[in-house]
Amino acid sequence: MLIEVAGLNKVYRTREGEDIHALSDVSFGVGEGEFVTVVGPSGCGKSTLLKILAGTLRRTSGGVHMRGRPIDGPSRDVGVVFQAPVLLPWRTVLENVMLPIEIQKRDREKFALQAQHFLKLVGLEAFSGKYPNELSGGMQQRVGISRALVHDPALLLMDEPFGALDAMTRESMNLELLRIWNESKKTVLLVTHSIPEAVYLADRVIVMSPRPGRISEIIKVDLPRPRPLEIINSEAFGRHVVAIRKHFQSLSALDA
Amino acid sequence: MSRASSEEHELIESGKPRTLAQTLREKPEIPLAVVLFVGLVGGWELAVRLFEIPKIVLPAPSAVALALWNGMQGDFLKHFGITFYETIAGFVLGSATGLVLGALISQFRLLERTLYPYIVAFQTLPKVAIAPIIVIWFGYGVTSKIVITATIAFFPLLANTIVGLRSAPQEQIELMVAFTATRWQVFRLARLPQALPYIFVGLDVAIVLSVIGAIVGEFVGAQAGLGYLILQKNFNMDMAGVFAILIVLSGMGIGLHLLVNAIQRRVVFWMDGSSDRVMGA
Ligand SMILES: Nc1ncnc2c1ncn2[C@@H]1O[C@H](COP(=O)(O)OP(=O)(O)O)[C@@H](O)[C@H]1O
Ligand SMILES: [Mg+2]
């Protein structure tokens, strides 16, 4: 197992002194090279979970390990992508992708090639000298993905990376992400509130429910790979979607 | 419909040299401004001559122009140099102090809580009112003018630096931290560049205020400078001379403002011209 989460709890204390139980007794594992998605309605603690794994948020109790070592802070072996691409507008596309290399003081020359490689992988090699405001939202997010991969991390954490994109762009980004995952052999943990997206991408889907955030079920997705987009119309795909949706019958916060 | 066709029109025309008629059609404010200027100055000249207004009350534009010409041949340049030096030196001193203090305050809450009451108290003091004290402390030479100017240039930089350094989006910071950035790296790579548009607004406000600061200092007590010269000419009832110096002064202010703007456009190249940053004064 690359990641092991056991009995994880997170309690936020608000300014008013009120306690918010964001995560309650969350346990799961993620194997090397696995693609795991986390799905659940807004407010069920998905981002909280991801931040704890990224080492930017302290847990209240429980164990979180990566390759057997407790996660107590940000790691050089993790890449993150948020919903907003948050590129630095004064840096070119290439300079943005190189940000982790600069921060981690790695060999720039060597990783510049790596950066070019990932830009090519997301189809942006012609844009490496452009500035972010010259790019569309989908292109910016692809730059963000290249940035998360450039330092060759073992784990890629993605928090609703395509949540701000339109449906068409989103589909093609999903396809592209699977291609990148297939080529780069990374382990991916991706948060989404779209059930079809969760199923389409994942080896396993972690289904979460809110208040307090806990895991309702972990569903194995036994759809063959590679998965063409048409697979979402198949009966097997539909079965997975139904199995997940039954957890949210009373909730309308999720996409169909 | 008409919008689309006019855009097309522009596309076809772009690249070709523009005729005068075209420029006039696209920028009607240029001929309007010229007409307004000529009308105002002409009307002023006419009014002064027609109603025989005494020249110690209001000099005619022609008299002002003549005074300006004579002044340029005479001692304007020397006094200009002194006021310019006071303005720039005070501006640099004040804005550098504001910048550094702003950076420290934005990063250390404790410092903010301890220092801010004093800074607010200082800022609410009218600088004109403390100028005489500063002249007593620093003498009648340029030093006191530089200090007065610095006290005025200080606050716009302080305020804009603090706001600017806190303007980086939370997600941006979190992302950098997730990539193992140190606090200093977050400051250098994200917060500081993010603050630059704000800092330039502060610089723009400060440079214009600095000219005022230098003149205020010279009014309180000086032996040279354009402010000193204004007082002298006022005393001698040379109104045309006073007006001529005012023209020089506003030229200096406009020039410095344009210079700051030109530097801003180069440094903050990723922002388009329109700025909606906070003002600091
Ligand atoms: N910094 C915080 N302080 C207090 N409560 C928080 C904070 N961050 C998140 N929460 C609360 O924790 C719960 C889970 O939030 P989050 O992890 O962002 O959910 P999700 O990403 O699934 O929408 C929500 O109820 C949210 O209001
Ligand atoms: Mg979230």
Side-chain angles (χ1 to χ4, degrees):
Chain A
M1 284 278 141
L2 178 71
I3 295 287
E4 267 170 300
V5 178
L8 174 64
N9 285 285
K10 175 66 192 180
V11 179
Y12 286 109
R13 166 138 311 165
T14 61
R15 290 233 172 94
E16 295 79 40
E18 189 193 347
D19 283 348
I20 296 178
H21 219 133
L23 291 175
S24 171
D25 194 25
V26 168
S27 304
F28 65 93
V30 181
E32 293 269 1
E34 200 179 5
F35 200 129
V36 174
T37 55
V38 181
V39 68
S42 180
C44 71
K46 305 184 296 294
S47 296
T48 301
L49 174 63
L50 224 72
K51 282 177 192 171
I52 290 172
L53 289 175
T56 57
L57 185 67
R58 217 186 294 275
R59 61 185 182 274
T60 306
S61 68
V64 185
H65 290 82
M66 181 163 161
R67 290 199 172 122
R69 277 205 231 109
I71 297 176
D72 285 320
S75 157
R76 291 159 64 97
D77 225 7
V78 173
V80 296
V81 178
F82 293 140
Q83 178 168 349
V86 284
L87 303 178
L88 300 172
W90 52 88
R91 288 180 162 235
T92 64
V93 165
L94 183 62
E95 287 165 352
N96 265 288
V97 174
M98 290 291 284
L99 188 68
I101 304 305
E102 220 175 301
I103 289 173
Q104 299 172 3
K105 301 195 168 75
R106 294 176 190 248
D107 181 351
R108 285 196 206 198
E109 261 170 54
K110 181 177 144 213
F111 281 97
L113 292 175
Q114 190 80 350
Q116 296 282 11
H117 164 74
F118 282 113
L119 281 175
K120 193 166 180 177
L121 207 60
V122 299
L124 289 177
E125 71 266 44
F127 292 83
S128 63
K130 293 255 187 281
Y131 285 91
N133 62 11
E134 299 171 273
L135 270 55
S136 71
M139 287 157 95
Q140 291 192 22
Q141 195 57 295
R142 268 142 59 188
V143 176
I145 293 171
S146 305
R147 176 182 57 192
L149 292 169
V150 69
H151 57 300
D152 198 26
L155 176 67
L156 187 57
L157 297 172
M158 309 179 90
D159 193 353
E160 306 197 22
F162 311 131
L165 305 178
D166 61 86
M168 301 274 276
T169 314
R170 194 168 176 155
E171 280 191 351
S172 69
M173 292 291 285
N174 280 335
L175 199 64
E176 209 161 302
L177 181 59
L178 282 188
R179 196 166 49 79
I180 292 169
W181 171 68
N182 195 41
E183 286 185 34
S184 62
K185 309 279 179 242
K186 302 285 177 224
T187 308
V188 181
L189 187 73
L190 180 143
V191 162
T192 176
H193 59 250
S194 156
I195 296 174
E197 184 170 87
V199 173
Y200 177 74
L201 294 171
D203 293 320
R204 284 186 302 145
V205 181
I206 297 177
V207 186
M208 290 187 67
S209 63
R211 263 166 239 109
R214 60 170 79 243
I215 296 181
S216 329
E217 197 185 350
I218 298 179
I219 293 177
K220 196 165 164 46
V221 180
D222 42 18
L223 298 170
R225 294 190 191 265
R227 297 173 184 168
L229 277 176
E230 300 77 58
I231 205 169
I232 59 173
N233 301 316
S234 73
E235 193 249 342
F237 190 91
R239 258 201 326 269
H240 285 97
V241 171
V242 168
I244 294 171
R245 192 172 299 138
K246 75 171 195 289
H247 289 280
F248 309 116
Q249 286 308 357
S250 54
L251 300 159
S252 49
L254 285 168
D255 294 358
Chain B
M1 274 309 279
S2 71
R3 203 187 127 83
S5 65
S6 95
E7 265 168 25
E8 205 174 322
H9 190 64
E10 273 179 26
L11 276 181
I12 292 165
E13 273 181 358
S14 69
K16 278 192 234 161
R18 282 148 193 267
T19 64
L20 181 63
Q22 259 176 344
T23 311
L24 290 186
R25 201 168 351 106
E26 278 161 26
K27 294 197 167 169
E29 68 271 18
I30 293 178
L32 273 178
V34 171
V35 167
L36 184 68
F37 181 78
V38 170
L40 276 179
V41 175
W44 174 4
E45 181 82 38
L46 215 64
V48 170
R49 283 167 193 257
L50 223 57
F51 304 116
E52 292 174 359
I53 298 172
K55 67 172 190 279
I56 55 163
V57 176
L58 185 68
S62 55
V64 174
L66 190 66
L68 185 61
W69 175 256
N70 288 335
M72 288 301 188
Q73 316 299 312
D75 55 359
F76 272 22
L77 221 56
K78 179 190 120 201
H79 293 285
F80 175 90
I82 288 164
T83 303
F84 187 75
Y85 170 67
E86 291 162 354
T87 302
I88 297 297
F91 167 75
V92 170
L93 182 66
S95 46
T97 312
L99 196 77
V100 171
L101 209 57
L104 289 174
I105 283 177
S106 79
Q107 295 307 295
F108 304 103
R109 291 270 167 193
L110 184 66
L111 207 60
E112 170 170 23
R113 290 201 205 103
T114 358
L115 281 183
Y116 221 71
Y118 294 98
I119 290 168
V120 171
F122 177 71
Q123 177 57 14
T124 50
L125 273 183
K127 300 303 168 306
V128 185
I130 58 168
I133 306 173
I134 294 176
V135 170
I136 288 177
W137 284 349
F138 293 93
Y140 282 82
V142 291
T143 315
S144 60
K145 318 304 175 289
I146 293 172
V147 173
I148 291 166
T149 303
T151 62
I152 297 180
F154 163 77
F155 198 75
L157 262 295
L158 179 89
N160 280 283
T161 304
I162 294 175
V163 175
L165 285 174
R166 287 183 179 160
S167 71
Q170 186 54 36
E171 279 209 312
Q172 181 72 74
I173 308 295
E174 235 170 82
L175 187 102
M176 299 193 68
V177 171
F179 283 123
T180 73
T182 60
R183 192 172 167 169
W184 167 241
Q185 282 177 322
V186 170
F187 183 86
R188 186 170 57 86
L189 297 172
R191 290 194 192 278
L192 194 59
Q194 199 80 45
L196 281 176
Y198 294 83
I199 290 172
F200 268 100
V201 169
L203 288 173
D204 195 17
V205 173
I207 193 74
V208 175
L209 290 180
S210 291
V211 180
I212 300 174
I215 297 299
V216 164
E218 289 172 0
F219 275 3
V220 172
Q223 290 129 352
L226 291 174
Y228 161 83
L229 208 56
I230 287 180
L231 284 188
Q232 219 183 35
K233 297 215 182 287
N234 221 21
F235 188 72
N236 295 331
M237 305 209 193
D238 176 7
M239 269 302 171
V242 172
F243 273 66
I245 297 168
L246 291 182
I247 291 174
V248 173
L249 268 180
S250 68
M252 175 151 83
I254 292 170
L256 289 171
H257 160 76
L258 291 178
L259 182 69
V260 169
N261 273 336
I263 297 172
Q264 167 173 28
R265 270 194 302 277
R266 293 211 155 204
V267 176
V268 193
F269 62 90
W270 64 92
M271 300 273 294
D272 49 16
S274 65
S275 72
D276 51 352
R277 307 292 127 187
V278 289
M279 304 295 275

